[in-house]
Amino acid sequence: MMSSSSFAAVRFLMARVMRNQIPKTLRCVRHCHAATSSSSNTSSSSSSSSTFPSFNVNDRKIFDETFSIVVDNLTKDLEDGHSDLTDYIEHYKNVLEYNVPFGKKLRGLAVVASYRALHKNPQLITNEELIEAGLMGWCIELFQALFLVSDDIIDQSQTRRGRPCWYRNSNIGLSAFNDAMLIQTGLFRLLVNNFSNKPYYHDVVDLFNKVYWKTCIGQGLDMLRSRRDAIDFTKFTVENYSVIIKYKTSYYTFYLPIALALYMHGVSDNRTHEEAKDVLLEIGHLFQIQDDFLDCFGNPKETGKVGSDIEEGKCTWLVVTAMELANREQIKTLMDNYGQRNLDCVRRVRDLYVDLKIPSIYAKYEQSKYQQIISIIKNNNLSLPDSIFNFCLSLICKRKS
């Protein structure tokens, strides 16, 4: 159930929305569908069925502004009956505002877009419903933030979203681990404060717990396979890589947002959720491969971070592909330099990737995987609207960050 402070914030936010009328829709990355259509010999009538959905600009505006409700809601929890926590409340607010509202926010936005797509009459959806969906979306953004804060410490990353990682800020350091746990507890407080009176409350809490468990396993597998002091290159296989990214990325990035929207609409049957999961895990697989490529070959000004997968000895799509293509001498170069915190070693590995033509292999694989997923969506007679899956795919098509 929403707290009184949440209701007040909702009324304020709705008033702002009503005063600022803006265009209703925005076409999402049309060039991706056009590229796919032009590369296949399909008729215009058949290709039009998989046109990407529009994303409502007003929905995004409401979602972005709903973050103020999140901060007010969680800091109010500490203010009520805790007059001795004044200093810490300010720190908590800084933790939230520094680590949560930036980035692509694709997970949170996917909740809102899916909620609208599943609505019995999307054109009559109310701002209050959108704010509720937005609050659920911000729960995932909190989920994302808690893993990023801790992951940056483990990987000793330097930047995140174009700024210093949270732990690298003055007087933060390893206390950032506690801040990550603070973000985690905030996620569940947000659920209690705003959804505990909903019929789907126990389903979404159970879902968050299950996906949190799976993501922790994925993070653990990722670290297990990338021990710089003892890298086992025989473990860098397609099979092992696929397991890591399924648990580390795919569940929480794509299945979780759509599953939450389903529960909010009262859709809880196992068949529908499993059907959605099968497609969404495939999209998550492509997303992580893109992440791996951008870590090595992306522009830090666009990605917002300096890649470190090579130094960390990560099990990535690039190194797995390299192990399959390299000759004996090249494998020795890879084993001598991979996982070393040395710029010359990083350069040698990157040069080896270029020699093996991995960038061009990646471009072909990305397009092929994209077309495969489009085919699954079009041909499998899914019970959910195609627009939900197409929207998720549109968020990552040809992405540069």
Side-chain angles (χ1 to χ4, degrees), residues 128-166:
E128 187 167 2
E129 287 178 289
L130 289 172
I131 290 170
E132 196 165 82
L135 287 171
M136 188 67 79
W138 281 112
C139 286
I140 304 186
E141 294 301 320
L142 287 164
F143 187 100
Q144 158 86 338
L146 77 90
F147 277 104
L148 294 184
V149 169
S150 56
D151 201 43
D152 285 341
I153 302 171
I154 294 168
D155 293 345
Q156 298 179 45
S157 298
Q158 299 300 301
T159 58
R160 170 71 64 181
R161 296 167 174 170
R163 302 187 300 171
C165 296
W166 177 243

Side-chain angles (χ1 to χ4, degrees), residues 67-107:
F67 184 66
S68 63
I69 299 177
V70 173
V71 176
D72 290 346
N73 196 296
L74 295 180
T75 53
K76 186 72 162 55
D77 265 2
L78 288 184
E79 290 170 357
D80 291 345
H82 300 93
S83 59
D84 52 347
L85 293 179
T86 303
D87 290 344
Y88 202 71
I89 290 169
E90 188 62 29
H91 173 74
Y92 191 16
K93 185 177 180 181
N94 289 337
V95 170
L96 294 171
E97 292 181 341
Y98 192 95
N99 294 292
V100 180
F102 302 101
K104 296 176 286 293
K105 294 174 282 195
L106 63 86
R107 297 161 184 85

Side-chain angles (χ1 to χ4, degrees), residues 251-363:
Y251 272 104
Y252 92 92
T253 300
F254 290 100
Y255 173 62
L256 179 59
I258 279 62
L260 290 171
L262 286 171
Y263 281 131
M264 292 181 77
H265 277 288
V267 181
S268 58
D269 65 284
N270 188 61
R271 178 181 174 275
T272 302
H273 279 262
E274 288 298 316
E275 183 183 86
K277 186 190 300 180
D278 289 343
V279 180
L280 295 164
L281 292 184
E282 288 294 325
I283 298 175
H285 186 98
L286 173 58
F287 176 83
Q288 185 58 55
I289 289 173
Q290 292 173 325
D291 241 28
D292 292 350
F293 182 81
L294 292 172
D295 185 272
C296 183
F297 292 104
N299 182 346
K301 291 182 179 179
E302 293 182 286
T303 63
K305 63 179 182 178
V306 177
S308 60
D309 285 351
I310 294 174
E311 294 98 315
E312 291 301 315
K314 296 284 187 180
C315 179
T316 69
W317 180 84
L318 288 84
V319 73
V320 168
T321 303
M323 290 293 291
E324 291 183 336
L325 298 174
N327 59 35
R328 185 174 299 178
E329 182 180 345
Q330 290 170 324
I331 288 177
K332 184 179 186 306
T333 298
L334 194 58
M335 295 176 70
D336 288 346
N337 293 278
Y338 202 71
Q340 303 297 319
R341 288 193 175 277
N342 180 292
L343 290 179
D344 287 334
C345 292
V346 172
R347 178 184 52 77
R348 291 186 192 105
V349 173
R350 194 174 185 278
D351 288 347
L352 177 60
Y353 288 163
V354 173
D355 291 342
L356 292 170
K357 297 182 169 51
I358 284 180
S360 62
I361 293 171
Y362 162 78

Side-chain angles (χ1 to χ4, degrees), residues 191-208:
L191 289 173
V192 169
N193 292 344
N194 297 280
F195 301 100
S196 58
N197 67 330
K198 302 294 184 181
Y200 52 79
Y201 172 70
H202 292 292
D203 284 328
V204 299
V205 170
D206 184 53
L207 178 64
F208 267 110

